[in-house]
Amino acid sequence: MKTMARSLRNALPVSGWLVLGALCVLAVALALVTNAQYGPDSRIYLAWTYWYLGHPQAEAAQMSFDYLRDNPGLATCITCWPPDFHESFFTGPYAAVVGPRVLLPVLSAPFVALFGPAGMLVVPIVGYALAILATVLLASRLWGPRWALVAGAMLLLPVYVSRWSVVAHTEGPAFALLALPLLVLPLARKVGRKQLISYVALIALGMLNRQFAIALPVAVAGVWLLVAIRDRAFRNPWLSFAVWGNVVAFVVLAAQMLITPLIFGGEDLSLAQRFDELTIKYFGTSGIAAIPEVTENIIRSDLLAVRYDLALVALLVASTVAVVWRFRSEISGLAAGAFFVVSAFNVIEFWPAAFRYHAPVVPLLVLAVVALMVDLWGPIRRLPSRSTEAEPREPVPLEHRARRWLPKTWLGRMPAHAWVTVASLAVLVPAVLSYRIWHFYSSSMYHLAWSYRILGFTPGEAAERTYAELYDKPFAATNCGRDSCFGQGSDWLFAHASSADPNLVYPVLSAPFVGALGDRGLIVVPLLSFFAAVGMLTYFAAKRWGALAGTVTAVVFGICDRIVATSLTGTADMFALALCCALLFTLPLGSRRGRRTLVVFAVLTALLLASRAPATAFVAAVASAWVFTAWRERTLRNAWLPYVAVASGLAVALVALGQVAPIADARYLGSLGELVRGGVDVGALLRTDGAYLAEDAVLCSVLVLALVAAPLRALRDPLAALALGGIVGCVVLEVLGGTPSGARAFSTVFPLILLAAMGMLARLFDQLSPWEVPATLDEKDEEEAEEPEPVPAA
């Protein structure tokens, strides 16, 4: 116990574990809230669990039916309960598949006895937590506590990973039984008989959980071959793990295939025969000739599913780059080998699985990406194409050492590879989103109509063009109904000011593009604003906390699905967000600013307030920074006073204008009376927004970290005070508006919230000990030779 506690302390300090623990609880909670915890396979595992608890088979099957027949996860399954399910659940194909997978039902039996069927979720959740723990421990051993924190956070963000961890399936234990064996492999450590026995035992357990566990021993065999070729050493540390791991895995697999039909009866399940039957039915071919078509179908289907998880998309792209660039690395070999084996199994299974089969190998993908990050951003940079995780051996010939390199610093203390990463993400995210989001909403009608008015069309002509171009868009039939949006003529379209942000800033900027491209021209300004926002956030964070923080800030912003997907539409959302990013460079965050900067601040604030009504939250953010600075400095006349005066004056002026001119939106004032009279259901409003935001684990993580960091550091850090004021302002405006708006409620001040969260992580990252490798004598001599000789004092 003491050894385990010491290992945990060495891997990460208490603050790091607290952050990862909070993110883990959040990921599990979001997965529980947003997804069904039981799927079609769960009915079989639950029935077998009841059988292991001593119930007769027919009774166990009936108990499973009684609990799961109305469960949302099985609502669309028309073949889940055949007429003979009381017997068929324990014989034939069901027994051939579930019979060998004894681990989940056996481990779940005591929890089901204590908590009922809900006890089936305990083992998957614990398995997910153990996978995170093992990944963090291994990353700490390889690269130090800093990168262990990065690895743990990276593993917790993809929702298609956490989602499968809280389902009553075998994925949760599979996470743990892939990650735990990594701790005893020869990855930057000496291994012996004890590690080999532990590895073989874990492989055997994995095979008793699901047959896909064979991916790890096969991947280890591939790494042995890689090291044998790379180091010209047949008998390398991986040999015994490759041999015994595969011997045990294939012996267990063969025993399962032979013994299961004998015990449970029924025909043996032939995957090859099943594959041929399905391929003939759906593609008209069989055998090897059908593999390309099946593979293409699975890839297309999985990509269509994965595109709804931007964090996973970014991870898959980054891990591909890492594996290819670090081709000599053991971690790369494990990641590529395991992914390939799981993909092959998926092809044999025939059916697309929405990344379900691949989810347990994500820890390896995370480690591959972190290894590349260490090479590029670590204290001792290495050429990725020369990197390995082999145990250090002395003496190492100079030509075989991982080459050290110093990147050239570009704009904002950012090296070239950092800007390449940011630029690639900025291109990838819109490309992925373009195939799954609505590009237009009801507010787009006003912007498009006013764009045509600015181009010189009469109200009737502008309305006619707007209706013609947006009538067939998805929002017209879903969000507002065709009659309510398109049946009231041009007068209503140009006089109505309570359903959108009908300002002239965004339409004026979009007018030239609308004239050239029609309705698609509305997307140009949001897209350009997105690129500008990514660049400004990267530059700001890099100047404040360093190149790695700048890159991570840009990546986190790009994969905040609910923010980016909502803003990359024909609305003013992304333009307002980019204006908020620009305003960061005018604020007195470090010292007092001059009058010219204040003038720029006034112009940008006016544009922001005239772009979207919720942008008033930015005024609350500035006021919050002024209040906390006054408290700290014991004076109201501080550097923030001119800024809060200008911002407040502009807000009052625009609100006043909104009372007489419909082009300036002040709808939140109109709802104030309803709120006072009790006409706004605040609880329902927050529940609706919460359900919408819960689908984005990255965004929720940012919000949680900001909510922790902002109050704690508001007195010391103006950026935290800005985030706190912005959050409070957004909540107040959302309640006053009376209409759920999801991420749109705080999208205008999201840069402040994101930077507050990233500042907290950057400070924690700096407090952790870096990865230190003692220099060899040759390297020390080189460093001493490069140092200039001291100049004697005059």
Side-chain angles (χ1 to χ4, degrees), residues 532-545:
V534 170
M536 287 186 286
L537 285 172
T538 304
Y539 182 83
F540 183 89
K543 293 286 287 185
R544 198 173 182 88
W545 303 301

Side-chain angles (χ1 to χ4, degrees), residues 183-248:
L183 294 173
V184 296
L185 290 175
L187 293 168
R189 66 169 296 173
K190 293 182 178 180
V191 293
R193 183 174 300 176
K194 183 187 299 185
Q195 286 76 26
L196 179 59
I197 293 174
S198 300
Y199 171 77
V200 170
L202 290 170
I203 292 299
L205 281 177
M207 294 301 298
L208 296 178
N209 179 62
R210 59 184 297 170
Q211 288 68 42
F212 277 52
I214 204 169
L216 182 60
V218 173
V220 168
V223 173
W224 162 76
L225 181 61
L226 169 69
V227 175
I229 297 173
R230 183 193 70 198
D231 297 345
R232 295 178 177 81
F234 178 85
R235 298 182 61 85
N236 59 64
W238 292 85
L239 177 60
S240 55
F241 290 87
V243 172
W244 289 108
N246 280 280
V247 167
V248 170

Side-chain angles (χ1 to χ4, degrees), residues 585-738:
F585 297 92
T586 66
L587 298 175
L589 295 173
S591 60
R592 290 182 178 272
R593 298 298 187 95
R595 290 184 179 180
R596 291 183 179 179
T597 305
L598 184 61
V599 171
V600 175
F601 170 83
V603 173
L604 293 176
T605 303
L607 292 174
L608 177 62
L609 293 174
S611 297
R612 292 203 62 216
T616 313
F618 180 79
V619 180
V622 175
S624 176
W626 170 63
V627 169
F628 280 102
T629 303
W631 191 350
R632 184 178 67 250
E633 298 179 358
R634 300 295 188 270
T635 177
L636 296 177
R637 297 178 61 86
N638 55 60
W640 289 89
L641 181 59
Y643 289 83
V644 72
V646 170
S648 301
L650 289 171
V652 171
L654 284 174
V655 169
L657 179 61
Q659 308 309 303
V660 296
I663 197 62
D665 188 11
R667 66 180 183 276
Y668 45 86
L669 294 180
S671 300
L672 181 58
E674 296 180 12
L675 180 65
V676 173
R677 293 190 299 268
V680 177
D681 189 346
V682 178
L685 178 69
L686 297 180
R687 284 193 298 272
T688 303
D689 281 345
Y692 177 83
L693 298 178
E695 295 285 347
D696 188 351
V698 178
L699 176 57
C700 290
S701 300
V702 170
L703 292 176
V704 168
L705 292 176
L707 286 172
V708 173
L712 292 178
R713 296 192 55 83
L715 275 175
R716 291 171 289 176
D717 185 2
L719 196 56
L722 287 168
L724 181 60
I727 292 172
V728 173
C730 289
V731 173
V732 172
L733 290 174
E734 180 78 346
V735 173
L736 292 178

Side-chain angles (χ1 to χ4, degrees), residues 283-294:
F283 298 111
T285 55
S286 62
I288 297 177
I291 291 179
E293 291 180 291
V294 175

Side-chain angles (χ1 to χ4, degrees), residues 89-132:
F89 276 10
F90 300 92
T91 59
Y94 284 127
V97 174
V98 180
R101 302 178 180 183
V102 299
L103 194 65
L104 177 62
V106 168
L107 293 180
S108 299
F111 302 107
V112 171
L114 289 172
F115 309 116
M120 291 293 295
L121 300 177
V122 175
V123 173
I125 293 175
V126 171
Y128 180 53
L130 288 176
I132 296 166

Side-chain angles (χ1 to χ4, degrees), residues 210-387:
R210 59 184 297 170
Q211 288 68 42
F212 277 52
I214 204 169
L216 182 60
V218 173
V220 168
V223 173
W224 162 76
L225 181 61
L226 169 69
V227 175
I229 297 173
R230 183 193 70 198
D231 297 345
R232 295 178 177 81
F234 178 85
R235 298 182 61 85
N236 59 64
W238 292 85
L239 177 60
S240 55
F241 290 87
V243 172
W244 289 108
N246 280 280
V247 167
V248 170
F250 280 98
V251 166
V252 172
L253 181 62
Q256 290 171 330
M257 296 176 64
L258 293 174
I259 297 175
T260 300
L262 297 177
I263 296 178
F264 301 107
E267 70 279 5
D268 188 9
L269 180 64
S270 173
L271 292 179
Q273 180 181 351
R274 177 176 173 273
F275 178 82
D276 287 340
E277 292 175 355
L278 291 172
T279 53
I280 292 174
K281 178 179 179 181
Y282 289 96
F283 298 111
T285 55
S286 62
I288 297 177
I291 291 179
E293 291 180 291
V294 175
T295 303
E296 181 183 356
N297 180 54
I298 290 175
I299 292 175
R300 186 189 307 111
S301 177
D302 280 7
L303 287 178
L304 291 176
V306 167
R307 63 181 176 169
Y308 289 93
D309 186 354
L310 292 180
L312 183 56
V313 171
L315 177 62
L316 290 174
V317 173
S319 60
T320 302
V321 174
V323 168
V324 173
W325 201 353
R326 303 181 78 254
F327 61 91
R328 300 175 73 253
S329 159
E330 290 87 337
I331 290 289
S332 295
L334 287 172
F339 195 90
F340 176 79
V341 174
V342 171
S343 299
F345 263 98
N346 196 172
V347 171
I348 295 174
E349 286 284 342
F350 183 80
W351 297 111
F355 204 73
R356 173 187 171 188
Y357 297 145
H358 294 81
V361 306
V362 167
L364 283 172
L365 305 183
V366 167
L367 290 170
V369 174
V370 174
L372 179 61
M373 294 176 67
V374 173
D375 285 344
L376 297 178
W377 281 281
I380 300 179
R381 294 182 172 88
R382 300 177 182 274
L383 193 65
S385 60
R386 300 289 296 173
S387 288

